[in-house]
Amino acid sequence: SVIVFLILNFIFFCRSLEKYPLKAKMRLITHNMLKCNIKGIENGYPLTIEAEACEEVEADNPFDMDFMKGLLRKVNLDTLKSAAANLGMEDLAELNTKDMPTLLQNEDILKAIHHILFEINIESGKLICPESGREFLIADGIPNMLLHEDEV
């Protein structure tokens, strides 16, 4: 009975993929957490983005003020601001990242940050280590952060 349930759920999942295929997404929330892990690198964060193709999509999660307030405390805003600038987006150009109380109360700013974090997908391009210049390719929305044997 449990096995039948699991099989039926698996079949339902597979059929739903036909209608709604999963698509890899390299969002700026992901970029905010990535760093260069090459042996000996001390300044591997933040990675510079050189995007060849980006797309704007609808966020999987709608804007929620409380969620964004909690998330804002975990996101490196200077890195996000830099990433947005790398992509030619000036939405955060005037953002004062040191004034957290004001940011947490400004719904328009939180909506702009939500948009940049969750609705911008980098389809192709590269991430570049600020110290070594090592390039990590992004293909089909997936950053390849695998290191070469001599970099481990």
Side-chain angles (χ1 to χ4, degrees):
S1 62
V2 171
I3 293 175
V4 171
F5 175 76
L6 292 174
I7 291 171
L8 289 175
N9 275 323
F10 180 73
I11 291 170
F12 176 75
F13 174 73
C14 291
R15 286 190 178 159
S16 70
L17 285 179
E18 293 170 4
K19 275 187 175 176
Y20 311 103
L22 296 176
K23 187 174 181 193
K25 299 173 184 173
M26 165 60 193
R27 296 186 175 154
L28 293 188
I29 184 87
T30 304
H31 169 264
N32 205 270
M33 296 178 250
L34 293 175
K35 70 175 209 160
C36 179
N37 286 312
I38 296 174
K39 176 179 58 181
I41 297 294
E42 294 181 21
N43 182 28
Y45 181 85
L47 299 169
T48 302
I49 300 173
E50 284 188 11
E52 294 171 4
C54 290
E55 73 174 342
E56 192 169 327
V57 298
E58 187 175 325
D60 294 335
N61 54 330
F63 175 78
D64 179 280
M65 187 89 163
D66 293 328
F67 171 75
M68 286 305 296
K69 285 180 180 181
L71 183 64
L72 206 58
R73 293 181 175 98
K74 295 173 176 57
V75 170
N76 184 319
L77 289 175
D78 289 322
T79 297
L80 180 62
K81 191 174 171 178
S82 170
N86 288 159
L87 297 175
M89 302 174 67
E90 298 301 322
D91 302 40
L92 303 181
E94 302 299 319
L95 185 69
N96 180 358
T97 60
K98 307 301 179 215
D99 188 6
M100 190 61 73
T102 300
L103 295 177
L104 293 174
Q105 298 308 314
N106 188 322
E107 186 172 350
D108 291 335
I109 289 175
L110 291 176
K111 283 182 178 180
I113 292 171
H114 179 271
H115 169 73
I116 289 172
L117 285 173
F118 297 107
E119 297 177 352
I120 304 299
N121 292 341
I122 302 170
E123 295 298 316
S124 62
K126 54 190 164 188
L127 301 172
I128 303 169
C129 173
E131 184 175 329
S132 68
R134 165 76 147 80
E135 297 178 353
F136 300 93
L137 296 181
I138 304 167
D140 297 322
I142 302 170
N144 182 354
M145 300 300 292
L146 294 175
L147 300 177
H148 301 134
E149 195 173 306
D150 62 332
E151 297 173 328
V152 182

